[in-house]
Amino acid sequence: MKLSSLRVYYPWPCRLGERARKYLKIPMISPFVKYLLFIGLKFLKFTIIWPITAVVSIGPTKKCPPIRNQILMLSGSSLAHKIRTKQLSCVEVVTAYITRIREVNQSLNAVVEDRFQEALKEAQAVDSLIASNTKAEDVIATETPFLGVPATVKESISVQGMSNNAARSNVNEHRADEDADTVRLMRQAGFIILCVTNTPELCLCWETFNNKTGRTNNPYNLKRSPGGSSGGEAALLGAGASVIGMASDIGGSARLPAMYTGVFGHKPTPGYVSNRGHVPTATDKHWNNFFTLGPMCRFAEDLPQLLSCIIEDPLKVNELKLREPVDLKKVKIFYAEDEGPNSITSDRMCTEMRDALRRAVHHLKVKYGIEAKKVHIKGLEDSLELSAMIMLRMRGIPNVFQKSENDPDEWNSVTLEVLKRIACLSSATLPSILYAPAKCVADRVSDDYYKTMLLRKRDIMDQFQELLGSTGVFLYPTFPYPAQNHYQIFYNLMNTSYLAIYNVLEMPVTACPLGLNHEGLPMGIQVVGWQGQDRLTIAVSQALEKEFGGWIPPPE
C-alpha cells in the first residue's frame, strides 16, 4: 500500500485549498485567556500542590533493590535465542522475572494481578518442546521468535481470565473473557504473560493511581511518579522486572512513562495494530485515529520484531518495512526544543534535557554525517488547544458519570458527583471527575471554531508530510522535566501538549531514553516520523541507544 493511501483514515481534506485556508484566520483562544490559564496553574502550583508534594518528599531518596541476576540484563531477542539454543531454560528465565517482580513490587505497587503459576507451567511446556527436538532452531525462530520470553501487560488490555477493569470506580470488577488481539498475537509469537499492571482510573491521568490498587512509584526514586497511564508497565520495565510490555497511548500514555523510567515506548502509526480488547474503548469514529496500543521495552533491538508480531496482517507488516535495514546516512534529521516562540502555556525544556537533545543531534551528525536542522512547525504553539479540544469532542468515551455500562453518552448528574467528591463521598478519582467539565467546555465550542481546529491540524500535518516524507525524523521533547514528585503533574498538565499533539496528528513516535540526569533520573526525547515510517523512528532510537546507553538500571 502506498503511503498516501493512509489518508483514508481521515475525514478531513488531505491538502488545504485557498477556500479552506480562510478558516485559519479565525483566531484561536486569545493570548490573554492563555495567560490566565497559565497564571492559574502557576498559582495552584505554588500555593497548594508544590508545598504539599515538597513536604511529603522530604527525606532520603528511596530506590529499588539492585539487580543481581544477569538474566535480567538480556534483551527479549537475546533471551529467545538462548532459550531455543538451550543455553538457558525457559523455567530459569521466567523464575528470574517472577523473583524480581516479587522483590520490587512491594516498593513499586505496579502489579494488579499475577499469573505466576500458569506462567511457570507454560515455561515447562516450552522447555519440553525444545528438549524434544521436534522443531529446528530456525523454524522456532521464524514461527515463534519470542518463544519463552516473559512479558507483562497493562491491565486495561485484556488477558483472558485476568482483571481488565482499568480501575473503574463505577464497575466493581471486570475479568477478560478472551485475550485482546495484541495479547493473542504475543502468545502466538511465544511470549509468556506474567501479570497485568496498574493504571489510573479509565486511563485518564498522566499519574498512575486509583482507589483500588493504589499509587505506583518510580523505580529510580520511589517518591517520584512513573507517569501514566501506562505507569505500572513502565515501573516494572525500569526496575528490570520486565523486559517486554504491552501498553496503550492516547495523549502520551506510553511515551511519558517510558521517559520517566528510562525505557523505550513506541506509538505506532494508527491502523496497523488492533485496539480490540482495551478498556476503555469508544464508539466515536475517530477513536482509532488517535488511540493506539503499542510496545514498551528496555532494549531498542526488540522493537522491530515486537511491532511485527502484534500486527496481524502480513501485508501491513510489509508496508512498514520493519525487516528492512535503514541506512541512517540517508535519513534527514530535524529538531525543535519547544513548541515555538509564540507558545504561552507550555514550559521550555530544563537545561539538562535540552543539553541531552543537543548531544543527540551532535552525535547523529558526527557518527552518520547527518546535518540536523532546527525547525519551527507553524501551529505547534497551539498544541494544547488542538489536542485537548479535538480529542474531547469525541463521543462514546466511557466515564464515571454514565448511567449504564453500555451507554457512555447518557450521564448521571455531574454536579452531584462533583459535590460527593468535595464531601469525600465519591469513590471516583479526581482526574476521572474532571473529565466532565472539560468535555462540557469542548462540546460547547462552535462548529466554525471546531472546523478551524481541524483545518489547523491538517495544515500541521501537511507541513510534517512535506518536511519528513519517507526519509526524515523529527526530534522533539517528550516533557520539559524528568520524573517529578507524585501529583505534581496536576500543575504541569499544559506540558502534556508535547505528547498529545502526535496522537491528534496520527503520526508514529518512539520515546527514546538519553541517559540519566545529575539526580539519577532518566531523560529522553521523542523521535517522530511521518505516517508509515515507524522503522525510521525505531532505527534512529537504536542508533541513539548505542551512544547514550539506552535503558540504564536504577543507580544503587
Side-chain angles (χ1 to χ4, degrees), residues 3-44:
L3 181 64
S4 59
S5 64
L6 288 172
R7 292 171 179 160
V8 298
Y9 300 128
Y10 313 137
W12 309 292
C14 296
R15 286 283 178 182
L16 293 180
E18 289 304 316
R19 293 181 65 186
R21 286 185 180 276
K22 68 180 182 179
Y23 287 96
L24 298 181
K25 297 178 181 179
I26 298 177
M28 303 288 276
I29 293 178
S30 70
F32 176 72
V33 173
K34 289 184 178 181
Y35 271 121
L36 288 180
L37 286 171
F38 180 78
I39 291 171
L41 281 176
K42 291 300 181 183
F43 177 81
L44 183 66

Side-chain angles (χ1 to χ4, degrees), residues 376-444:
H376 169 58
I377 305 298
K378 185 179 179 181
L380 279 187
E381 62 270 16
D382 296 319
S383 291
L384 178 68
E385 188 176 354
L386 286 169
S387 53
M389 290 298 179
I390 289 176
M391 287 198 285
L392 283 169
R393 288 274 290 214
M394 288 190 294
R395 299 185 62 81
I397 297 178
N399 57 82
V400 298
F401 304 96
Q402 61 193 73
K403 290 185 177 180
S404 68
E405 188 173 352
N406 298 323
D407 188 358
D409 287 327
E410 187 177 357
W411 291 11
N412 290 310
S413 170
V414 172
T415 303
L416 178 60
E417 192 64 35
V418 171
L419 291 175
K420 285 169 62 179
R421 175 66 188 179
I422 294 172
C424 299
L425 297 176
S426 172
S427 60
T429 54
L430 179 61
S432 61
I433 289 177
L434 291 178
Y435 169 76
K439 171 71 172 167
C440 291
V441 170
D443 285 345
R444 281 163 175 74

